[in-house]
Structures are given as structure tokens and as C-alpha cells.
Amino acid sequence: MKVAIGCDHGGINLKPLLIEYLQKKGIEYVDFGCHDKTSVDYNEYALAVSNAVAKGECDKGVLICGTGIGMSIVANKVKGIRCGHCHDVFSAKMTRLHNDANVLAFGERVVGPGLAMEIVDAFLTTDFSGDERHARRVNKIRAIEEENMK
Ligand code: RB5
């Protein structure tokens, strides 16, 4: 598995810790920035990570900003991306099981580093359930994309 990871200045303290976690787990990753505390627009980092996942260059994406909100809004505008905005382990697990989310977004100003690590772990280690009802709903999301993101 290859993970695309990105943050804005609001997630700059957490990203290195998550990268350390990925390295310890032997998970391949691409760091799309940002790399310092200079104020930047979350849009470009969310787009870079989401495009890498949508194009199949990476399998999953992780986005961190202050709240995770801006990142998730942008990510969900990219065709093929289902971004879960999760601040607890249960939601991170469920967004994989039920929504087959391929990008996770959360806020450094919302969760501490320990919980953040567990959220990422749940997201990366949980497979889509594949249940017919969930697959049907994910396909309905794809149909909306086909209609609205031509
Ligand atoms: C940056 O101040 C902050 O607005 C951003 O990190 C994020 O929380 C936006 O949704």
C-alpha cells in the first residue's frame, strides 16, 4: 500500500508524527507537503493528495489541517475521492467498512497525536466490507459524480 499524505500549516506538527508511524509500519508514502509553518492554502495540498489517489498513483490519502474541514471539502470535489472527516477511531473504521473512503481528513487542532495515530491506523487497516447494500450506496455516489463532475 502507498499512502499520499499532506497538510497545511494547521497540520504541520502532526504530519511528521504520522510519517514516523508509516515508516515504523513499513508503509510506503509520498509527502505532498507543506513543509513549514508558513500560512498556506489547504486547497492545493488536498488537491495534490486527492489527485494522486484518484489517478491510482497512491492507494489512500491522509490530510491534516487545523480542523480537517477545508481539506475534506476540497478532497470530496475530486472525482473518485470519498473523503471521510473523522475524529474518532469508530468513524475512521466505519468510513472504510461502509463508505470505502479512500481519503481521510482530520484536524490537528481537534485531536491529540495519540488519537490521531489510532485514527490513521484504523483507516489504513480496515477493508471495505463489500456488503451489497454498501456497494450499492457507493455506486450511487459514483453515479452522482458521473452526472455532476463531467
Ligand atoms: C488554517 O488556519 C485553517 O483554517 C485550516 O487549517 C483548516 O482548519 C481549514 O479548514
Side-chain angles (χ1 to χ4, degrees):
M1 176 175 37
K2 198 186 211 179
V3 173
I5 188 164
C7 69
D8 70 357
H9 54 288
I12 194 70
N13 299 305
L14 200 45
K15 191 179 61 157
L17 302 178
L18 297 176
I19 286 179
E20 205 177 301
Y21 157 86
L22 294 173
Q23 288 170 340
K24 271 189 196 149
K25 294 269 179 183
I27 298 171
E28 220 186 320
Y29 66 91
V30 183
D31 180 359
F32 285 90
C34 66
H35 300 291
D36 61 48
K37 290 185 179 174
T38 310
S39 180
V40 291
D41 297 338
Y42 52 78
N43 312 64
E44 60 189 87
Y45 304 94
L47 254 187
V49 164
S50 299
N51 283 335
V53 175
K55 286 180 189 160
E57 294 162 8
C58 291
D59 304 294
K60 286 194 186 120
V62 175
L63 292 166
I64 317 117
C65 63
T67 59
I69 297 170
M71 290 288 198
S72 64
I73 291 172
V74 173
N76 279 314
K77 301 279 183 206
V78 176
K79 193 174 180 182
I81 295 302
R82 289 175 302 283
C83 175
H85 180 218
C86 305
H87 288 117
D88 64 274
V89 175
F90 177 75
S91 300
K93 197 172 170 179
M94 296 310 282
T95 203
R96 288 289 308 128
L97 277 172
H98 286 193
N99 314 122
D100 198 14
N102 46 12
V103 173
L104 168 74
F106 59 93
E108 174 184 306
R109 298 174 188 157
V110 184
V111 293
L115 179 54
M117 232 89 80
E118 288 191 20
I119 289 168
V120 171
D121 188 66
F123 180 75
L124 296 181
T125 59
T126 305
D127 289 329
F128 178 49
S129 72
D131 290 348
E132 192 279 329
R133 67 188 189 284
H134 297 308
R136 185 179 67 236
R137 292 161 190 162
V138 170
N139 282 333
K140 284 185 173 180
I141 295 172
R142 291 197 180 102
I144 294 169
E145 283 180 338
E146 288 305 322
E147 268 307 300
N148 298 323
M149 293 181 170
K150 281 176 182 159

